[in-house]
Coordinates of all heavy atoms in Angstrom, one line a residue:
R27 N 87.7 114.9 63.1 CA 88.1 113.9 64.1 C 86.8 113.4 64.8 O 85.9 114.1 65.1 CB 89.0 114.5 65.2 CG 90.3 115.0 64.5 CD 91.3 115.6 65.6 NE 92.5 116.1 64.9 CZ 93.5 115.4 64.7 NH1 93.6 114.1 65.0 NH2 94.6 115.9 64.1
V28 N 86.9 112.0 65.1 CA 85.7 111.4 65.8 C 85.9 111.4 67.3 O 87.0 111.1 67.8 CB 85.6 109.9 65.3 CG1 84.5 109.2 66.0 CG2 85.5 109.9 63.8
K29 N 84.9 111.9 68.0 CA 84.9 112.0 69.4 C 83.7 111.2 70.0 O 82.6 111.3 69.4 CB 85.0 113.4 69.9 CG 86.2 114.2 69.5 CD 86.2 115.6 70.1 CE 86.5 115.5 71.6 NZ 86.6 116.9 72.2
G30 N 83.8 110.7 71.2 CA 82.7 110.1 71.9 C 82.7 108.5 71.8 O 81.8 107.9 72.3
L31 N 83.6 107.9 71.1 CA 83.6 106.5 71.0 C 83.8 105.8 72.4 O 83.2 104.8 72.7 CB 84.7 106.0 70.1 CG 84.5 106.3 68.6 CD1 85.7 105.8 67.8 CD2 83.3 105.4 68.1
T32 N 84.7 106.4 73.2 CA 84.9 105.9 74.5 C 83.7 106.0 75.4 O 83.3 105.0 76.1 CB 86.1 106.5 75.3 OG1 87.3 106.4 74.4 CG2 86.4 106.0 76.6
T33 N 83.0 107.1 75.3 CA 81.7 107.3 76.1 C 80.7 106.2 75.6 O 80.0 105.7 76.4 CB 81.2 108.7 75.9 OG1 82.2 109.6 76.4 CG2 79.9 108.9 76.7
A34 N 80.6 106.0 74.3 CA 79.6 105.1 73.8 C 80.0 103.7 74.2 O 79.0 102.9 74.6 CB 79.6 105.1 72.2
A35 N 81.2 103.3 74.2 CA 81.6 102.0 74.7 C 81.4 101.9 76.2 O 80.9 100.8 76.7 CB 83.1 101.7 74.4
G36 N 81.5 103.0 77.0 CA 81.3 103.0 78.4 C 79.8 102.8 78.7 O 79.4 102.1 79.6
L37 N 78.9 103.4 77.8 CA 77.5 103.2 78.0 C 77.1 101.7 77.8 O 76.3 101.1 78.5 CB 76.7 104.1 77.1 CG 76.7 105.6 77.4 CD1 76.1 106.3 76.2 CD2 76.0 105.8 78.6
W38 N 77.7 101.1 76.7 CA 77.4 99.7 76.5 C 77.9 98.8 77.6 O 77.2 97.9 78.0 CB 78.2 99.4 75.2 CG 77.8 98.0 74.6 CD1 76.7 97.6 74.1 CD2 78.7 96.8 74.7 NE1 76.8 96.2 73.7 CE2 78.0 95.8 74.1 CE3 80.0 96.7 75.1 CZ2 78.6 94.5 74.0 CZ3 80.6 95.4 75.0 CH2 79.9 94.3 74.4
A39 N 79.1 99.1 78.2 CA 79.6 98.3 79.3 C 78.7 98.5 80.5 O 78.5 97.6 81.3 CB 81.0 98.7 79.6
A40 N 78.3 99.7 80.7 CA 77.4 100.0 81.9 C 76.1 99.3 81.8 O 75.5 98.8 82.8 CB 77.1 101.5 82.0
A41 N 75.5 99.1 80.6 CA 74.3 98.4 80.4 C 74.5 96.9 80.8 O 73.7 96.3 81.4 CB 73.8 98.5 79.0
I42 N 75.6 96.3 80.3 CA 75.9 94.9 80.6 C 76.2 94.7 82.1 O 75.8 93.8 82.8 CB 77.1 94.4 79.8 CG1 76.8 94.6 78.3 CG2 77.4 93.0 80.1 CD1 77.9 94.1 77.4
I43 N 76.9 95.7 82.8 CA 77.1 95.7 84.2 C 75.7 95.7 84.9 O 75.5 95.0 85.9 CB 78.0 96.8 84.7 CG1 79.4 96.6 84.2 CG2 78.0 96.9 86.2 CD1 80.3 97.8 84.4
G44 N 74.8 96.5 84.4 CA 73.5 96.5 85.0 C 72.8 95.2 84.9 O 72.1 94.8 85.8
L45 N 73.0 94.5 83.7 CA 72.4 93.1 83.6 C 73.0 92.2 84.7 O 72.3 91.4 85.3 CB 72.7 92.6 82.2 CG 72.0 93.2 81.0 CD1 72.5 92.6 79.7 CD2 70.5 93.2 81.2
A46 N 74.3 92.3 85.0 CA 74.9 91.5 86.0 C 74.4 91.8 87.4 O 74.2 91.0 88.2 CB 76.4 91.7 85.9
C47 N 74.1 93.1 87.6 CA 73.6 93.6 88.9 C 72.2 93.0 89.1 O 71.8 92.5 90.2 CB 73.5 95.1 89.0 SG 75.1 95.9 89.1
G48 N 71.4 93.1 88.0 CA 70.0 92.5 88.1 C 70.0 91.0 88.4 O 69.1 90.5 89.0
A49 N 71.0 90.3 87.9 CA 71.1 88.9 88.0 C 71.7 88.5 89.4 O 71.7 87.4 89.8 CB 71.9 88.2 86.9
G50 N 72.1 89.5 90.1 CA 72.8 89.2 91.5 C 74.2 88.8 91.3 O 74.7 88.2 92.3
Y51 N 74.8 89.0 90.2 CA 76.2 88.6 90.0 C 77.0 89.7 90.5 O 77.7 90.5 89.7 CB 76.4 88.3 88.6 CG 77.7 87.5 88.3 CD1 78.5 87.1 89.2 CD2 78.0 87.1 86.9 CE1 79.7 86.3 89.0 CE2 79.1 86.4 86.6 CZ 80.0 86.0 87.7 OH 81.1 85.3 87.4
V52 N 77.1 89.9 91.8 CA 77.8 91.0 92.5 C 79.3 91.0 92.1 O 79.8 92.1 91.8 CB 77.6 90.9 94.0 CG1 78.3 92.1 94.7 CG2 76.1 90.9 94.3
E53 N 79.9 89.9 92.2 CA 81.4 89.9 91.9 C 81.7 90.4 90.6 O 82.6 91.2 90.4 CB 81.9 88.5 92.1 CG 81.6 87.8 93.4 CD 80.3 86.9 93.3 OE1 79.3 87.5 92.8 OE2 80.3 85.8 93.7
C54 N 81.0 90.0 89.6 CA 81.2 90.4 88.2 C 81.0 91.9 88.1 O 81.8 92.6 87.4 CB 80.4 89.6 87.2 SG 80.6 90.1 85.5
A55 N 79.9 92.4 88.6 CA 79.5 93.7 88.5 C 80.6 94.7 89.1 O 80.9 95.7 88.5 CB 78.1 94.0 89.1
V56 N 81.0 94.3 90.3 CA 81.9 95.2 91.0 C 83.3 95.2 90.3 O 83.9 96.2 90.0 CB 82.1 94.8 92.5 CG1 83.3 95.5 93.1 CG2 80.8 95.0 93.2
F57 N 83.8 94.0 89.9 CA 85.1 93.9 89.3 C 85.1 94.6 87.9 O 86.0 95.2 87.5 CB 85.5 92.4 89.1 CG 86.7 92.2 88.4 CD1 88.0 92.5 89.1 CD2 86.9 91.8 87.1 CE1 89.2 92.3 88.5 CE2 88.1 91.6 86.5 CZ 89.2 91.9 87.2
S58 N 83.9 94.4 87.1 CA 83.8 95.0 85.8 C 83.8 96.6 86.0 O 84.4 97.3 85.1 CB 82.6 94.6 85.1 OG 82.6 93.2 84.9
T59 N 83.2 97.1 87.0 CA 83.2 98.6 87.2 C 84.6 99.0 87.4 O 85.0 100.1 86.9 CB 82.3 98.9 88.4 OG1 80.9 98.4 88.1 CG2 82.2 100.4 88.6
L60 N 85.3 98.3 88.3 CA 86.7 98.7 88.5 C 87.6 98.6 87.3 O 88.4 99.5 87.0 CB 87.3 97.8 89.6 CG 86.7 97.9 91.0 CD1 87.3 96.9 92.0 CD2 86.8 99.3 91.6
V61 N 87.3 97.6 86.4 CA 88.1 97.5 85.2 C 87.8 98.7 84.2 O 88.7 99.3 83.6 CB 87.8 96.2 84.5 CG1 88.5 96.1 83.1 CG2 88.3 95.0 85.3

């Protein structure tokens, strides 16, 4: 059985949220974190 796919996808999403934070796109970063 394959485990860890959700964690890997979460890491990828966290990296993109970090890009939004660095750009000052606060609304997108906060909303994406909640999602």
Side-chain angles (χ1 to χ4, degrees):
R27 297 182 183 274
V28 178
K29 299 184 66 176
L31 287 175
T32 302
T33 301
L37 289 172
W38 186 73
I42 300 178
I43 290 173
L45 295 176
C47 292
Y51 197 0
V52 181
E53 308 92 310
C54 177
V56 173
F57 180 74
S58 299
T59 302
L60 294 177
V61 171

